[in-house]
């Protein structure tokens, strides 16, 4: 019987990456994989130049342009001068320092958190950072992945390490079967609505339970992606056969014998029985319904059929003030329902929900149907590869027939930075991750929802319970996995 | 080498809103610059200015200063920002810390900070001071009643005080040393070059 203390998967990966631990100091943590993009890297490269430093190991950093790029006519020079300059600065820096860049037009270009996994750059057991808070997405493969600031990007470029204090650990367990029309986005919106936008601050989360195990890799990524929206440093899922199947054969993943060897190592990446967490939360999958947010942070979410809370239901005066301000911004009444509310835009995209399975789920809802006249619908694939795959499968034809606009890959209307913005006062049902004031453009109003719910709203032109549009399975189909049950 | 921080005495600007995310502190459309300077002009941009939308989505609207917002109210000023809990949540953009610094703030007081923002602030000579909910509530009310209230933030003794009120605050010893001496994390990491090199080789 070994005397070693049982460890969580998080502790195993962390401990294996500490280059230096000194009392009173944060750990110097080695970073296996570093992703950079045009917005949060230029000042880091400037720092290197000022100190006359080189990049420590160029093979461990990969760059792409995603945040500040147009999603139309990507083959043409970027029209807006500042955006063009920012992307050109990335090009220059990558060239000067010898970093691989998947630039606009490259077949591997795309949202940084989508291309990492699809290229096999994201693997179990790694430490992964990027100057973007949604780096938590990569945790779906069983690794420690988290967002960092630009000063830290500079540190990682220069030293391949980052200084970090070990966060506390939290386990979130979800067991049971998901109901009709309920997908992984609903799971994470449900969790955040229960524990609030700051409920996991200071923690690193491990998602567990059979409801998580039964999800595809892409669906798992959606969950881990939004860990930051409850304040968590990151979120991970222990790797399993689903993970290994996804990785096998990907461009930069280990191949052949090396792959088999890696898998046997990756299989050790599970939390030991008896491992202790600072906090454990349990949820029942049967309690989860299609979700929607009504306010201006991702914690302000509810079942699509629920009513918005009343101001009196908020405990603290300070909470009441923020709540009122939020609902005024959104133009919705406390205590009212959103169901049936007319919307103006539908955005299907972002690192949360712009993978091929998301596009397939949307296509399965809208096939043979048309969008409502009052809405404009943008489908923005997360990467060039996703875009290409969608074309191969004929999804583009389905979207076109429905009156949806299929664009080029990028972060698009998730963040109101590039050309794609939701106009002031307009309502958008969005598959992205943030409903902050002005997030999708000054004074824009965002309702976060799943790709299925967004597709349903595109057809009806209003906030819709997606379950009303999904036929109950006929007896002979029962037991068969449908697209929406899988995702 | 950054600014050194020991003791700061200043009046403060109160923003009682909770969950102030970094998209409010600096909206994404102002992140296109490739330098660290000049972000202060756009600090809380969409709260500082009212936008009257243009006649069509394609046309730009008109911005006018929002007189109700605290940064536009000349009775408030100083190097300390006091804000509601869960300050700096959301995006990891360090531009939020740069904007706060560039505007002239050196301290942010709240009862709770988001992790990434806290790190970014510390890396830019902005001290996040965590106080209790009650202390924060009283402080916000005091400043609103008397905007000339002087607050002392003493990093040496890890104490924040005003009038007859005071509270100790936590900061990890390493970051405290960095702030007091103006050190960067990168200096420490560069000193580990040999160990990191060996680690990299062993793990590739």
């Amino acid at each position: 019987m070994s005397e070693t203390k049982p460890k969580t998967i998080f502790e195993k990966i962390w401990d294996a990456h500490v280059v230096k631990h000194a009392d009173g100091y944060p750990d110097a943590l080695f970073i296996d994989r570093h992703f950079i993009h045009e917005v949060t890297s230029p000042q880091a490269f400037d720092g290197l130049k000022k100190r006359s430093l080189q990049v420590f190991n160029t093979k461990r950093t990969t760059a792409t342009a995603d945040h500040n790029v147009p999603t139309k006519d990507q083959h043409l020079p970027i029209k807006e001068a500042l955006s063009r300059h920012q992307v050109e600065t990335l090009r220059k820096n990558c060239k000067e320092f010898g970093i691989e860049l998947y630039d606009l037009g490259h077949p591997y270009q795309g949202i940084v958190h989508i291309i990492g996994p699809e290229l096999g750059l994201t693997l179990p057991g790694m430490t992964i950072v990027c100057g973007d808070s949604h780096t938590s997405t990569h945790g779906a493969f069983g690794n420690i992945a988290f967002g960092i600031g630009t000063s830290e990007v500079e540190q990682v470029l220069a030293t391949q390490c980052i200084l970090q204090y070990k966060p506390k650990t939290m386990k979130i367990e979800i067991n049971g079967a998901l109901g009709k029309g309920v997908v992984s986005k609903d799971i994470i919106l449900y969790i955040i609505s229960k524990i609030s936008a700051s409920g996991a601050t200071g923690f690193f989360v491990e998602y567990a339970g059979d409801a998580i195990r039964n999800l595809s890799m892409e669906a798992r990524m959606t969950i881990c992606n939004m860990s930051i929206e409850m304040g968590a440093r990151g979120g991970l899922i222990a790797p399993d056969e689903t993970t290994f199947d996804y990785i096998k054969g990907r461009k930069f993943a280990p191949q052949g014998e090396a792959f088999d060897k890696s898998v046997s190592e990756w299989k050790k990446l599970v939390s030991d029985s008896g491992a202790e967490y600072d906090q454990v939360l349990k949820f029942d999958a049967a309690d989860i319904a299609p979700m929607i947010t009504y306010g201006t942070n991702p914690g302000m979410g509810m079942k699509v059929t629920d009513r918005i809370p009343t101001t009196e239901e908020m405990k603290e005066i300070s909470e009441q003030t923020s709540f009122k301000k939020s609902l005024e911004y959104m133009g919705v009444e406390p205590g009212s329902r959103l169901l049936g509310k007319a919307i103006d835009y539908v955005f299907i995209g972002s690192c949360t929900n712009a993978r091929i399975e998301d596009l397939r789920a949307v296509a399965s809802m809208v096939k043979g149907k048309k969008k409502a006249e009052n809405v404009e619908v943008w489908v923005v694939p997360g990467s060039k590869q996703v875009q290409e795959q969608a074309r191969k499968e004929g999804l583009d034809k389905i979207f076109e027939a429905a009156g949806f606009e299929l664009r080029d890959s990028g972060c698009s209307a998730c963040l109101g930075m590039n050309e794609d913005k939701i106009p002031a006062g307009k309502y958008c049902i969005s598959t992205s991750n943030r409903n902050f004031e002005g997030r999708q453009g000054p004074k824009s109003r965002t309702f976060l929802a799943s790709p299925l719910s967004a597709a349903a709203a595109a057809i009806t032109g209003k906030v819709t319970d997606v379950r009303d549009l999904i036929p109950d399975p006929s007896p002979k189909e029962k037991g068969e996995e449908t697209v929406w049950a899988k995702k | 080498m950054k600014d050194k921080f020991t003791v700061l005495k200043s009046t403060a600007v109160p923003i009682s809103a909770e969950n102030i995310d970094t998209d409010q502190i600096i909206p994404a459309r102002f992140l296109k610059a490739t330098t660290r300077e000049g972000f202060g002009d756009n600090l809380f941009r969409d709260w500082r200015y009212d936008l009257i939308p243009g006649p069509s989505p394609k046309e730009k609207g008109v911005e006018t200063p929002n007189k109700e917002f605290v940064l536009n109210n000349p009775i408030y000023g100083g190097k300390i920002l006091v804000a509601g809990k869960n300050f700096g949540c959301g995006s990891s953009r360090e531009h939020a810390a740069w904007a706060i610094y560039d505007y002239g703030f050196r301290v942010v007081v709240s009862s709770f900070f988001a992790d990434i923002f806290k790190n970014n602030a510390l890396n830019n000579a902005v001290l996040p001071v965590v106080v209790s909910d009650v202390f924060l509530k009283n402080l916000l009310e005091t400043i609103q009643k008397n905007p000339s209230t002087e607050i002392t933030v003493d990093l040496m003794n890890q104490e924040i005080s005003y009038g007859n009120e005071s509270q100790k605050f936590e900061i990890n010893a390493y970051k405290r040393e960095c702030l007091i001496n103006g050190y960067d994390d990168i200096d420490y990491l560069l000193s580990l070059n040999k160990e990191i090199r060996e680690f990299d080789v062993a793990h590739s």
Side-chain angles (χ1 to χ4, degrees):
Chain A
M1 185 81 187
S2 161
E3 291 294 315
T4 32
K5 192 172 168 273
K7 280 183 177 181
T8 64
I9 169 174
F10 172 80
E11 289 166 318
K12 288 180 187 178
I13 302 171
W14 182 283
D15 293 350
H17 286 82
V18 175
V19 174
K20 171 116 178 165
H21 174 83
D23 286 343
Y25 283 80
D27 288 343
L29 197 69
F30 188 82
I31 300 302
D32 294 312
R33 184 74 66 215
H34 185 201
F35 294 105
I36 60 169
H37 60 83
E38 74 279 22
V39 180
T40 58
S41 69
Q43 295 86 352
F45 283 110
D46 267 357
L48 293 187
K49 287 174 207 167
K50 274 182 197 147
R51 293 170 198 262
S52 306
L53 294 169
Q54 291 300 311
V55 171
F56 186 91
N57 183 348
T58 53
K59 289 192 174 58
R60 293 194 184 271
T61 297
T62 305
T64 193
D66 57 1
H67 282 65
N68 195 8
V69 302
T71 56
K72 269 183 173 175
D73 301 327
Q74 281 184 346
H75 59 288
L76 300 175
I78 299 174
K79 277 182 249 160
E80 211 258 337
L82 284 174
S83 303
R84 191 172 62 242
H85 177 70
Q86 200 170 48
V87 174
E88 278 169 2
T89 303
L90 180 71
R91 272 174 210 147
K92 267 190 228 159
N93 285 328
C94 287
K95 202 170 172 206
E96 185 178 339
F97 287 89
I99 290 167
E100 182 84 57
L101 166 66
Y102 300 131
D103 203 348
L104 287 181
H106 193 286
Y108 298 159
Q109 180 272 342
I111 305 175
V112 64
H113 311 307
I114 292 196
I115 68 165
E118 75 183 7
L119 289 171
L121 288 164
T122 298
L123 298 173
M126 283 184 158
T127 46
I128 301 178
V129 294
C130 173
D132 188 282
S133 60
H134 294 110
T135 308
S136 58
T137 313
H138 306 263
F141 291 80
N143 54 47
I144 296 183
F146 55 92
I148 58 176
T150 297
S151 295
E152 294 168 318
V153 171
E154 184 183 336
Q155 291 164 27
V156 177
L157 287 172
T159 71
Q160 208 56 48
C161 275
I162 193 166
L163 284 180
Q164 290 284 306
Y165 285 95
K166 206 178 195 173
K168 291 179 280 183
T169 53
M170 180 188 284
K171 179 156 93 163
I172 298 181
E173 216 178 291
I174 305 123
N175 287 301
L178 294 172
K180 182 170 93 168
V182 179
V183 294
S184 69
K185 180 66 162 285
D186 300 306
I187 300 178
I188 191 66
L189 284 174
Y190 176 81
I191 296 171
I192 303 169
S193 77
K194 291 289 171 196
I195 74 169
S196 92
S198 59
T201 302
F203 289 89
F204 203 100
V205 175
E206 178 182 345
Y207 301 96
D210 56 26
I212 298 291
R213 279 289 141 230
N214 290 335
L215 296 173
S216 71
M217 276 324 289
E218 298 201 353
R220 292 180 190 184
M221 284 189 247
T222 302
I223 305 241
C224 291
N225 171 275
M226 290 191 73
S227 304
I228 181 71
E229 308 312 337
M230 47 189 175
R233 205 71 182 86
L236 62 73
I237 296 168
D240 57 14
E241 290 302 327
T242 306
T243 321
F244 311 143
D245 287 347
Y246 178 97
I247 295 168
K248 195 170 187 177
R250 297 210 173 245
K251 174 90 182 161
F252 296 107
Q255 311 285 333
E257 257 181 59
F259 177 78
D260 297 336
K261 213 179 134 209
S262 298
V263 168
S264 60
E265 285 303 309
W266 295 338
K267 283 185 175 166
K268 297 174 192 162
L269 296 170
V270 287
S271 291
D272 298 330
S273 71
E276 283 172 22
Y277 297 84
D278 294 291
Q279 202 174 335
V280 177
L281 300 174
K282 287 184 184 179
F283 298 101
D284 185 349
D287 291 340
I288 307 173
M291 299 287 294
I292 191 161
T293 62
Y294 56 84
T296 54
N297 73 57
M300 301 173 82
M302 62 181 187
K303 294 176 183 169
V304 69
T305 48
D306 278 352
R307 57 165 187 79
I308 297 168
T310 59
T311 311
E312 293 69 35
E313 286 171 90
M314 303 290 129
K315 281 179 226 139
E316 305 284 335
I317 298 284
S318 59
E319 243 179 305
Q320 290 184 2
T321 315
S322 294
F323 180 79
K324 266 197 265 182
K325 183 172 170 282
S326 174
L327 263 49
E328 271 167 29
Y329 178 87
M330 290 300 293
V332 297
E333 292 298 319
S336 69
R337 279 175 218 279
L338 287 183
L339 212 54
K341 186 173 179 63
I343 50 145
D344 309 293
Y345 285 80
V346 173
F347 172 60
I348 292 155
S350 88
C351 55
T352 313
N353 281 124
R355 285 170 284 265
I356 192 66
E357 286 180 11
D358 299 311
L359 268 51
R360 283 180 194 144
V362 171
S364 73
M365 284 291 299
V366 304
K367 192 172 184 178
K369 298 192 177 83
K370 277 212 176 313
K371 73 169 184 68
E373 276 185 12
N374 58 310
V375 290
E376 201 168 310
V377 187
W378 300 339
V379 182
V380 185
S383 71
K384 276 279 158 221
Q385 292 204 64
V386 171
Q387 191 177 8
E388 201 41 49
Q389 186 62 29
R391 283 207 187 111
K392 270 190 207 155
E393 296 179 18
L395 306 185
D396 56 334
K397 297 283 181 297
I398 295 173
F399 296 142
E400 200 184 315
F404 293 12
E405 197 181 333
L406 181 64
R407 298 192 165 202
D408 291 332
S409 59
C411 298
S412 187
C414 172
L415 85 165
M417 171 161 199
N418 49 66
E419 292 168 1
D420 305 347
K421 293 186 184 77
I422 305 303
K426 299 292 182 190
Y427 288 99
C428 177
I429 292 220
S430 178
T431 67
S432 56
N433 40 60
R434 288 185 175 138
N435 50 352
F436 297 152
E437 283 184 29
R439 172 74 180 184
Q440 297 194 287
K443 297 217 167 167
S444 61
R445 292 154 161 174
T446 305
F447 298 132
L448 299 176
S450 76
L452 281 186
S453 295
I459 297 162
T460 61
K462 53 199 183 191
V463 175
T464 301
D465 184 346
V466 65
R467 292 170 294 194
D468 296 342
L469 272 64
I470 301 174
D472 281 317
S474 61
K476 67 170 181 155
E477 280 174 339
K478 260 185 193 161
E480 276 178 29
E481 236 180 336
T482 59
V483 172
W484 41 74
K486 214 165 148 189
K487 179 69 183 133
Chain B
M1 205 59 171
K2 302 212 161 72
D3 298 359
K4 293 179 184 182
F5 193 112
T6 49
V7 180
L8 177 73
K9 276 184 200 212
S10 171
T11 51
V13 177
I15 305 183
S16 54
E18 297 182 346
N19 297 310
I20 296 177
D21 58 79
T22 53
D23 272 85
Q24 306 318 312
I25 299 171
I26 181 96
R29 63 187 189 281
F30 301 111
L31 307 184
K32 297 182 182 184
T34 53
T35 60
R36 288 175 184 243
E37 293 78 30
F39 289 102
D41 288 345
N42 296 317
L43 176 69
F44 292 114
R45 181 75 193 199
D46 291 340
W47 289 359
R48 264 159 92 183
Y49 295 91
D50 277 328
L51 174 75
I52 301 154
S56 82
K58 296 269 178 257
E59 288 171 75
K60 273 195 170 174
V62 183
E63 282 184 324
T64 53
N66 169 12
K67 290 196 180 104
E68 310 228 320
F69 185 57
V70 67
L71 290 189
N72 292 328
N73 187 341
I75 64 167
Y76 296 111
K79 294 183 172 183
I80 300 172
L81 177 65
V82 183
K85 75 173 171 203
N86 197 24
F87 186 83
C89 58
S91 158
S92 62
R93 59 189 70 166
E94 193 164 316
H95 311 66
W98 299 336
I100 286 169
Y101 182 91
D102 195 52
Y103 189 87
F105 292 117
R106 294 295 175 267
V107 170
V108 185
V109 181
S110 182
S111 58
F112 198 88
F113 287 94
D115 287 332
I116 306 179
F117 175 80
K118 200 198 280 177
N119 276 348
N120 287 340
L122 287 165
N123 282 336
N124 287 280
V126 172
L127 174 64
V129 174
V130 184
V131 295
S132 69
D133 283 324
V134 178
F135 189 91
L136 179 68
K137 184 171 169 272
N138 292 337
L139 178 59
L140 283 166
E141 282 171 10
T142 306
I143 303 164
Q144 278 153 357
K145 262 184 233 149
N146 179 9
S148 62
T149 304
E150 194 176 65
I151 298 151
T152 302
V153 177
D154 181 347
L155 181 58
M156 309 305 281
N157 293 307
Q158 294 180 226
E159 190 175 72
I160 176 170
S161 56
Y162 66 96
N164 296 321
E165 301 290 326
S166 75
Q167 193 169 79
K168 288 275 184 191
F169 61 86
E170 294 287 327
I171 177 170
N172 67 65
Y174 166 76
K175 278 293 178 193
R176 179 172 169 271
E177 197 185 311
C178 286
L179 281 172
I180 290 170
N181 298 300
Y183 295 154
D184 276 335
D185 282 353
I186 203 164
D187 298 322
Y188 174 63
L189 285 171
L190 287 169
S191 77
L192 302 177
N193 185 59
K194 192 173 159 282
E195 287 103 313
I196 302 172
R197 219 25 101 189
E198 285 165 7
F199 192 98
D200 190 13
V201 171
H203 290 80
S204 50

